[in-house]
Structures are given as structure tokens and as C-alpha cells.
Amino acid sequence: MDHTFQPFGTIVPYEGQQTRALKYNSSGTHFICATSAPRAKLYTRMGRMAGECKSGDMYVMDMRRTNGHVSGLTCVDWDPRSDSRFVTAAGDSTLRFWDMERMVQEQVVVAKTKTRGKVAVTACVFNKSGSMVVSAQCGGISVWPSKGPFVRPVQHVDDTHTPMSDVCVALVPASEHLFVSRGDATVKLWDMRNLKTEVAVAERLPGSESSVAFSPDGKALVVGLGSQNATPNAEATVAVLDSTTLNEHRRISLQEPGDVLSIVWHSTLNQIACGLSTGSIAITYDPSQSTRGAMLGITKRSRQYVANTSTGPIITPHALPLFREDRPVSTKRRHDKDRNDPVRSHKPSMPVRGHGRGGVVGVNETQHIMKSIMKDTMRDEDPREALLRYAKVAENDPKFITPLYKETQGKPVFSEEVDEPETKRRK
């Protein structure tokens, strides 16, 4: 990548479907892509498709009885204990655990609320040890054991945010039980061991569809901001909060129009990538603390192609007859070279096998065998001599029209020739 920041490859999981989530496993060998289609796709790090999840039967009422999602995906996350296990969430109110090696469904979790029944699951994330899974649905939050049983959640709370709002969750890197939820212009800090009350709350952060990201050390929280109405912001902005108290430290302008929809803080590169509603990506970095990533593209210039401005022919010295050395060629090598040349050796054209091509009639082995068995000499005979051979036989023993009517036919009478008058001749 150079300073133009053009991609070297493009992947389209499903034509016309929006990409909702994309996440690499802990080893970085594969990543899973979740779109608005019900089937997630698995890719290698170079972008080659390695597998695809199955879709379920939409006519089955019990979601536990079908082997896949029946509505669009919303989120995806990898199990930190295994590079081959991941979980997907969808609008059919289910969480499904998958095995990457076989691409089959292992377990199903059906999320429900006390008042609304089945609701769409908008977010899911494993905790640091992989023993718990936090899901968000219809303004509520549930905590599930990753290995089951899935009859009811370990912890559940309703109306953490405005009902029917898209809630996203993120785990605090330095903690086993703390996580934050984002929705209805607020950010809340929770302890999954007790969801009755939130630990801290930050308000006046518009943009319910944007996500959150923690710093590599877990001390700072970055929140993407959006507009409160349908009109996008004139300038995209992110807010930096304290991860323990959710106090706002500062707001950073990205100097690009639009709303921030997704945000990622890379732990190794120490850079923040923000996906905007305009379709562009804004990356912020620190020249003294960030490494590689976007800094490689800034310092690398594109290749300069210099056009050839020289005119006239270019002659190398050894191409001239004065400097050319004629190497003696042996007679045998010259003879072999002439034999390989069909023009010099006057090689006849080979017979066409099978159907004829280019005006040449094709031949085959069956044709030669039949010619040797059945010889037809009629084309070599004179037709006049062949007819005269039967003239005397026909005269002595006639067999056609005249002998058939010999006994019943009278003597034929022909008209005599009469000259026409001169007057008729003139007419």
C-alpha cells in the first residue's frame, strides 16, 4: 500500500448485502464475515474463502430445531480459548456456536425477554477467559455460559437502554467481568456478576449505531459519535472516556464528514480506525508511539513510470555486421534444423483425421479397410460401351412396352406428310 491507500484486493461476500461485522481469530489465520444475509463466511488472511455456514429453515417455528440462522446476521465473535470456535448473532433471536473445522453448528441459544418474547440479538462477545458470552437484545443484556446449559441466562436485565434500540457491548481488556454497553446516546459500565445496577454512566453521546473500542492497556475508551437527526454531521468526531469512571477527557475531530459507525483500536499498531457513514475510513495515529500500519502507506510513494522520450532506432553494437561473429554450425545440426522446418523440408500435408476441415476431406481407418474389401470399378468404365453391350440382347428378347401390347394393339396408322399452302407459310 502506498500513499494513495488503494486496496490490493476486494471481497464481496454477498452481492448487495451490507457487511455488519468482521473479526479475526486470535492467531490471525482466518477471519469471519457477517453480513445482512443469514450465512456467515470464513476467509483466510489473504482473502480466500475457507467455508460457509449453513442457513436454517424459515418455516420451522422452534429455532432450536434448525441448523442455521433464518434472518440477517448482526454480530460475530471468536472464542479466546480456541481458534476454531466462534459465535454468531442474528435477528432471529438466536446465538449459534460454530466449529470452524467442520463448519457445523454446535449449540443454539434462544434469547427472550419477559415482556416481548423473541427479539433480535444485536451484539455478542466472549469474556476474557471464554467462559461467558454477553448478548444484547432489544435494549436488554443477558449473560450466558459458553458451554451451556442454555435454558436461561446466568444474569439478565431489561430496559438497560431505550427499547428497540441497537445496543453494542465490549469487554474491558484488563477485567474479567466488566463490560460497557452503547445505545440511546449513552454509554454504561456493567459488572456481569450483578446486572441490577450499572457501575457508571456517560450521557450526551449521540449516535446509537456506533460502536466502542478500548485502548490496548484498557485505561481509555473511544466512542464514535453520530448525528441526532437524519442529516450526517459536517465533521466526524470521536470521544475519549475513562474506562473506570466514564468521564470524558476530550473529543477528537477526524476532519471528514459523516457519522462514525464502527471503531477499532489496534493493540499492536496502536492506531484507531473509524468507519464513517460516507463509506470512507479515517485512521488516527501517533508518530512517536504507533508502528507500521497506516504509517507505511504515508511514507511509501507510488511508482513513477517514466515515458520513453527517445526517437529513432536503437542499435546495439554487437548487432552490426562488423561486430557479428559467424559461428560455424555442424552439418548434422543444420540438417536436423532443416528437417524440423516444414517449408525447407517440403513436408507434405498430413491427412485430416475424422471430419474434413479447411476444404480437405477427412479420412479414417474404416474407409481404407472398406476400400480394400469392396472395390467399385463403375467409375472407370465408359457408359456408352456399357449400354451397347446390351443392345443385341434387347433386340432379340424385348421385355418392355411394345411386347406387352402386341396382341391387343392394332397396327399404328401415321398421318401422311402434306405440304402447307404458300399463303399459310407466309403467315
Side-chain angles (χ1 to χ4, degrees):
M1 180 184 294
D2 53 16
H3 70 286
T4 58
F5 294 102
Q6 296 297 325
F8 67 90
T10 304
I11 301 173
V12 182
Y14 290 99
E15 191 71 29
Q17 301 292 340
Q18 181 186 9
T19 301
R20 299 285 183 82
L22 188 146
K23 209 161 192 179
Y24 280 88
N25 59 357
S26 57
S27 60
T29 57
H30 295 80
F31 68 89
I32 194 75
C33 180
T35 63
S36 55
R39 305 174 69 178
K41 285 191 175 183
L42 180 69
Y43 294 91
T44 62
R45 61 182 301 176
M46 299 306 296
R48 296 180 180 178
M49 193 176 75
E52 185 177 9
C53 297
K54 296 181 180 179
S55 60
D57 189 354
M58 66 178 66
Y59 298 103
V60 177
M61 298 299 295
D62 189 0
M63 289 292 99
R64 296 182 182 89
R65 302 294 181 180
T66 181
N67 295 325
H69 291 289
V70 298
S71 62
L73 302 177
T74 56
C75 189
V76 64
D77 194 27
W78 289 89
D79 190 343
R81 298 174 299 181
S82 175
D83 290 340
S84 61
R85 188 169 184 259
F86 61 92
V87 61
T88 56
D92 56 1
S93 72
T94 61
L95 292 166
R96 299 181 186 270
F97 297 87
W98 303 83
D99 182 13
M100 185 190 75
E101 301 296 337
R102 299 176 297 163
M103 291 305 292
V104 294
Q105 176 184 289
E106 292 182 341
Q107 295 164 322
V108 184
V109 179
V110 179
K112 296 182 180 180
T113 59
K114 296 180 181 179
T115 58
R116 301 179 183 87
K118 293 183 179 181
V119 291
V121 181
T122 59
C124 62
V125 62
F126 281 94
N127 65 343
K128 189 176 181 180
S129 62
S131 60
M132 296 291 178
V133 178
V134 181
S135 64
Q137 59 278 340
C138 194
I141 297 176
S142 301
V143 179
W144 305 85
S146 62
K147 293 295 185 179
F150 302 113
V151 178
R152 61 178 58 88
V154 178
Q155 294 286 337
H156 178 76
V157 59
D158 288 325
D159 299 332
T160 58
H161 296 275
T162 304
M164 306 306 295
S165 62
D166 294 335
V167 181
C168 67
V169 293
L171 270 296
V172 179
S175 176
E176 179 72 17
H177 307 286
L178 296 179
F179 67 94
V180 296
S181 62
R182 172 81 159 96
D184 62 14
T186 60
V187 176
K188 296 182 181 182
L189 180 63
W190 302 87
D191 188 347
M192 66 176 61
R193 294 170 294 185
N194 184 12
L195 297 181
K196 293 182 179 180
T197 57
E198 61 271 9
V199 179
V201 180
E203 299 179 348
R204 295 189 297 275
L205 298 172
S208 59
E209 295 184 0
S210 59
S211 59
V212 297
F214 283 93
S215 61
D217 56 3
K219 296 181 180 180
L221 174 65
V222 181
V223 181
L225 303 182
S227 60
Q228 297 180 353
N229 48 31
T231 305
N233 290 335
E235 198 169 67
T237 309
V238 294
V240 182
L241 310 178
D242 186 86
S243 61
T244 56
T245 61
L246 297 186
N247 294 328
E248 184 175 344
H249 291 320
R250 57 178 298 190
R251 294 195 178 191
I252 303 174
S253 175
L254 302 179
Q255 299 179 359
E256 289 288 337
D259 300 338
V260 180
L261 300 181
S262 61
I263 185 169
V264 176
W265 194 329
H266 200 282
S267 58
T268 305
L269 305 180
N270 198 16
Q271 298 174 9
I272 304 174
C274 303
L276 307 181
S277 59
T278 57
S280 58
I281 300 176
I283 302 176
T284 61
Y285 65 95
D286 190 341
S288 59
Q289 298 182 7
S290 301
T291 58
R292 300 188 300 274
M295 299 179 63
L296 296 177
I298 295 174
T299 57
K300 185 177 180 181
R301 297 296 176 183
S302 60
R303 295 181 180 180
Q304 301 292 333
Y305 297 95
V306 181
N308 187 10
T309 57
S310 61
T311 57
I314 299 175
I315 302 175
T316 59
H318 295 283
L320 299 174
L322 178 63
F323 301 98
R324 187 181 303 166
E325 295 181 1
D326 294 334
R327 297 181 179 180
V329 182
S330 63
T331 307
K332 183 177 181 304
R333 291 184 59 186
R334 185 180 301 172
H335 178 71
D336 295 341
K337 188 176 181 181
D338 293 343
R339 291 298 296 171
N340 293 331
D341 189 358
V343 178
R344 287 189 174 186
S345 61
H346 302 285
K347 183 179 180 181
S349 59
M350 299 297 293
V352 179
R353 300 292 180 182
H355 299 285
R357 296 187 298 273
V360 181
V361 179
V363 296
N364 51 34
E365 290 76 8
T366 307
Q367 183 177 356
H368 292 286
I369 295 173
M370 297 303 295
K371 281 185 177 181
S372 61
I373 297 175
M374 302 175 61
K375 293 184 178 180
D376 188 6
T377 59
M378 187 178 292
R379 298 180 60 182
D380 301 332
E381 296 180 0
D382 187 5
R384 183 173 179 277
E385 293 180 359
L387 292 174
L388 292 176
R389 190 183 305 162
Y390 297 96
K392 186 177 292 186
V393 177
E395 184 178 356
N396 297 334
D397 187 14
K399 297 180 180 180
F400 296 100
I401 299 174
T402 304
L404 183 63
Y405 301 98
K406 186 175 182 181
E407 298 178 359
T408 60
Q409 185 70 25
K411 185 179 180 180
V413 178
F414 301 100
S415 63
E416 296 180 358
E417 221 177 8
V418 180
D419 295 337
E420 295 182 0
E422 294 183 0
T423 55
K424 289 186 178 181
R425 292 179 182 178
R426 291 177 182 176
K427 293 180 179 180

